[in-house]
Amino acid sequence: MADMRLIVAGAGGRMGRTLTRVISETPGAVLVGALEAPGSELLGKDAGVLAGLPANDVKLSADLWSMSAAADGILDFTVPAATIANVAIAAERGLVHVIGTTGLSQSDDAVIRSVTNRAIVVKSGNMSLGVNLLAALVKRVAQSLDESFDIEILEMHHKSKIDAPSGTALMLGEAAAAGRKIALEQHSARGRDGLTGARRAGDIGFASLRGGTAAGDHSVIFAGPSERITLSHHAEDRALFAQGALKAALWAHGKKPGMYSMTDVLGLND
Ligand SMILES: NC(=O)C1=CN([C@@H]2O[C@H](COP(=O)(O)OP(=O)(O)OC[C@H]3O[C@@H](n4cnc5c(N)ncnc54)[C@H](OP(=O)(O)O)[C@@H]3O)[C@@H](O)[C@H]2O)C=CC1
Ligand SMILES: O=C(O)C1=N[C@H](C(=O)O)C[C@H](O)C1
């Protein structure tokens, strides 16, 4: 079978450069396009050189329509506005669209869902095996404990991260809510500050720390009467997420249109 031809969106970013590197190490995948924001000073630069590799002759461009004429998939770790702009073109071209971008709103999610009758989308707030296993464990523990155990989710990321809580924290919150059979949006405590009053029973709390170069730390704390259970994951290198994204793209190649998650890719469905 021919190599899967991939575009990296946000090719000049932290994840974009990592994806370029991981593609070069992955049998069955080849980089054919590197997308950057219109007006970026990186347009025209070589994607390989930006990733610390020998030149690969894939130049950064802002023209997704042209570069996608000869591509099979797009790995998109950018910003919400860019991802939403890419969705229509990816669907029109029949690309596999792997979406790692976080900070998407409910209306952004609705736009993504609206194309999944003709697009193949794999979307996850975290592409690592470890976090997806952690989510399954969180759901399981939440099922077993009643409201006398308060659920709090703590995350820490590098100082350049622009959204909070992280996509992973929200994913873990959804897992906990599913275990408890409640809707997260009605039981979510975010951004406590000042005279907050006592904790509301049944809420799932979120706290975000930012600093240094942390690739992504997440803990889910079940705090009960006289005991606490903490389930944690620590990412040591963002190559972990890029490898997960490559696995997702190769898995989705040739699948029917639809919305898939890393749970599908990794075979972790109940
Ligand atoms: N799901 C997962 O497993 C993971 C998800 N992420 C998420 O991925 C996203 C990116 O993270 P990170 O790489 O650290 O962030 P960066 O800011 O380093 O990279 C984002 C890149 O996207 C570029 N960009 C902005 N607008 C456009 C556009 N219209 N078209 C193409 N490119 C554009 C930015 O360019 P410019 O700087 O010029 O604006 C930048 O190069 C975040 O949402 C993060 O949370 C990160 C790691 C893992
Ligand atoms: O911005 C990051 O760096 C990361 N973002 C994702 C998130 O928001 O959860 C995944 C990972 O934690 C790294």
Side-chain angles (χ1 to χ4, degrees), residues 69 122 259:
V122 185
M259 174 77 109

Side-chain angles (χ1 to χ4, degrees), residues 10 12-16 35-38 40 77-79 82 100-102 124-127 158 161 163 241:
R14 281 175 291 275
M15 276 303 294
L35 186 71
E36 251 304 328
S40 166
F77 291 69
T78 55
V79 292
T101 306
T102 58
S124 176
N126 196 303
M127 303 271 169
H158 55 91
K161 185 163 177 61
D163 56 307
F241 311 128

Side-chain angles (χ1 to χ4, degrees), residues 138-229:
V138 165
K139 182 176 172 190
R140 178 71 190 82
V141 174
Q143 254 164 11
S144 301
L145 300 173
D146 64 19
E147 275 193 8
S148 67
F149 279 78
D150 299 317
I151 304 177
E152 292 283 311
I153 301 178
L154 176 65
E155 51 106 343
M156 174 152 187
H157 283 85
H158 55 91
K159 60 186 167 194
S160 302
K161 185 163 177 61
I162 59 170
D163 56 307
S166 68
T168 309
L170 293 171
M171 196 175 127
L172 295 169
E174 290 289 359
R180 275 211 170 150
K181 298 192 172 37
I182 55 172
L184 182 61
E185 55 280 18
Q186 281 145 36
H187 294 275
S188 182
R190 289 163 60 164
R192 298 187 186 109
D193 185 20
L195 198 60
T196 61
R199 192 184 197 287
R200 210 168 56 141
D203 272 358
I204 296 175
F206 292 86
S208 299
L209 308 179
R210 295 286 175 264
T213 57
D217 294 341
H218 293 88
S219 291
V220 181
I221 303 160
F222 296 86
S226 310
E227 59 182 342
R228 278 194 306 282
I229 302 161

Side-chain angles (χ1 to χ4, degrees), residues 8-105:
V8 169
R14 281 175 291 275
M15 276 303 294
R17 292 175 199 229
T18 311
L19 285 160
T20 297
R21 222 168 36 247
V22 169
I23 290 171
S24 75
E25 296 160 359
T26 304
V30 61
L31 182 73
V32 296
L35 186 71
E36 251 304 328
S40 166
E41 59 188 23
L42 299 178
L43 295 178
K45 300 244 188 270
D46 186 278
V49 172
L50 282 176
L53 302 170
N56 59 15
D57 228 17
V58 178
K59 307 292 184 205
L60 269 62
S61 157
D63 184 357
L64 178 57
W65 182 250
S66 297
M67 75 175 77
S68 59
D72 303 305
I74 174 168
L75 308 176
D76 190 335
F77 291 69
T78 55
V79 292
T83 295
I84 293 309
N86 296 339
V87 157
I89 294 180
E92 186 69 25
R93 291 286 199 201
L95 304 182
V96 169
H97 194 176
V98 177
I99 300 178
T101 306
T102 58
L104 292 158
S105 65

